[in-house]
Amino acid sequence: MDKKLYRSSEHYILGGVCGGIAEYFDTSPTLVRIIAVILSLLPGIGIISYIIAWIVIPRRF
C-alpha cells in the first residue's frame, strides 16, 4: 500500500486540506469539513492545526 497524503486539487475549498484528508481515508470531504469546523470551535486546536496542515501537506498537481 503506497498511500501519500496530499492537499486535494479536486475537493478544494480553502487550501484543499480537508479534501486531501478525505481522499487519504477514503471518506466524504463533507464529513471531514464538519469535523474540522467542530475542532475549530474548540480553543487552540482547530484553526492552528488547519494552518499547520496547509503549510506542511504538499499540494497534488
Side-chain angles (χ1 to χ4, degrees), residues 7-54:
R7 288 187 290 146
S8 178
S9 57
E10 293 178 15
H11 304 286
Y12 183 91
I13 289 184
L14 181 64
V17 175
C18 291
I21 292 171
E23 289 175 1
Y24 183 80
F25 288 111
D26 196 31
T27 187
S28 169
T30 305
L31 178 65
V32 176
R33 288 183 186 112
I34 291 171
I35 292 170
V37 167
I38 291 170
L39 288 176
S40 70
L41 296 175
L42 298 174
I45 295 176
I47 296 173
I48 304 273
S49 300
Y50 191 89
I51 292 171
I52 291 171
W54 195 348

